[in-house]
Amino acid sequence: EIVMTQSPATLSVSPGERATLSCRASQSVISNLAWYQHKPGQAPRLLIYSASTRATGIPARFSGTGSGTEFTLTISSLQSEDFALYYCQQYNNWPPGTFGQGTRVEIK
Amino acid sequence: EVQLVESGGGLVQPGGSLRLSCAVSGFTFSDHYIDWVRQAPGKGLEWVGRSRSKAIGFTTDYAPSVKGRFTISRDDSKNSLYLQMNSLRIEDTAVYYCARVVAVAGAGYFEYWGQGTLVTVSS
């Protein structure tokens, strides 16, 4: 099973600042990686798939980069609605499609 | 509008059973893979199982942690997916989500999710 490791566990950022979230895979997942945003009591929301493709309706301030084992989600200018949990998920090896443990983006 | 709505969660004793439902709308149910994913308190997301599309014969897969105890089924007439959970354990306590899959080479990512239903296994 591929292990996904996200860092940091918590990221404290001021509104308007840039946030950079990392996700590392224990072996190559090529570009088969997705990012999700999750707020308490809500459905998780797909942000990015294929490592760098924004899902429908996702603002341009969200961007994904990387391939192989190292991936990054960048939020260029944090808005109030962006404070949430973020998960990466690999879907190169199946089953299962493993998730990282999450990064919490909180208001500084 | 694509919607997935889970129901059926609740409190159950260890060893007991529960059936979760996922009612979908806004798309052709039989054309899509639908997965169950769960999140235990304070933990990350964990894939539970999959129901593939009609074109793939509605075949299913399960995580090792639930295989033999959980069963996924569908009722196309009701646009609903079910998760029958038997021999429940305390560690099955979680919020259970159903999610529509974009299948990629047999794997896939989750394009739409429900809001989840809480299952608590406790004596």
Side-chain angles (χ1 to χ4, degrees):
Chain A
E1 177 177 311
I2 295 179
V3 177
M4 307 301 293
T5 303
Q6 290 186 243
S7 61
T10 303
L11 188 61
S12 298
V13 186
S14 299
E17 289 187 342
R18 173 187 297 258
T20 302
L21 290 67
S22 295
C23 175
R24 174 176 292 177
S26 60
Q27 64 189 76
S28 176
V29 299
I30 317 176
S31 294
N32 294 317
L33 184 109
W35 288 95
Y36 304 89
Q37 179 191 69
H38 193 194
K39 298 179 182 179
Q42 296 188 17
R45 178 190 184 195
L46 174 68
L47 298 175
I48 302 284
Y49 61 94
S50 297
S52 61
T53 304
R54 275 191 302 277
T56 303
I58 300 303
R61 65 181 181 272
F62 292 91
S63 63
T65 59
S67 65
T69 61
E70 301 283 344
F71 300 89
T72 300
L73 174 71
T74 301
I75 311 170
S76 59
S77 177
L78 270 158
Q79 306 297 303
S80 57
E81 62 267 29
D82 300 336
F83 293 96
L85 267 168
Y86 291 84
Y87 293 96
C88 61
Q89 178 232 341
Q90 69 82 18
Y91 52 94
N92 190 62
N93 280 35
W94 194 274
T98 43
F99 295 87
Q101 77 278 25
T103 290
R104 182 181 303 278
V105 177
E106 64 176 26
I107 300 174
K108 188 174 181 181
Chain B
E1 180 191 6
V2 171
Q3 285 194 316
L4 300 94
V5 180
E6 303 91 341
S7 61
L11 175 63
V12 61
Q13 291 188 336
S17 298
L18 207 58
R19 189 177 85 151
L20 306 184
S21 300
C22 171
V24 312
S25 59
F27 63 96
T28 303
F29 182 48
S30 59
D31 286 351
H32 291 271
Y33 294 22
I34 308 288
D35 284 10
W36 288 97
V37 177
R38 67 185 180 184
Q39 185 172 33
K43 304 286 188 182
L45 296 165
E46 178 192 18
W47 177 77
V48 173
R50 166 165 291 181
S51 173
R52 294 184 180 83
S53 63
K54 183 176 183 179
I56 314 296
F58 294 136
T59 55
T60 53
D61 271 330
Y62 300 92
S65 58
V66 307
K67 196 169 186 177
R69 301 187 298 123
F70 290 12
T71 303
I72 296 172
S73 61
R74 291 188 182 226
D75 185 339
D76 274 7
S77 67
K78 296 182 179 178
N79 275 358
S80 291
L81 183 79
Y82 304 101
L83 181 66
Q84 177 66 44
M85 304 185 294
N86 298 330
S87 303
L88 280 161
R89 305 168 180 167
I90 291 174
E91 55 265 34
D92 295 318
T93 295
V95 176
Y96 284 74
Y97 300 94
C98 56
R100 194 180 90 171
V101 178
V102 176
V104 176
Y109 56 90
F110 305 104
E111 189 176 19
Y112 295 100
W113 299 66
Q115 293 195 317
T117 186
L118 175 63
V119 173
T120 303
V121 184
S122 174
S123 55

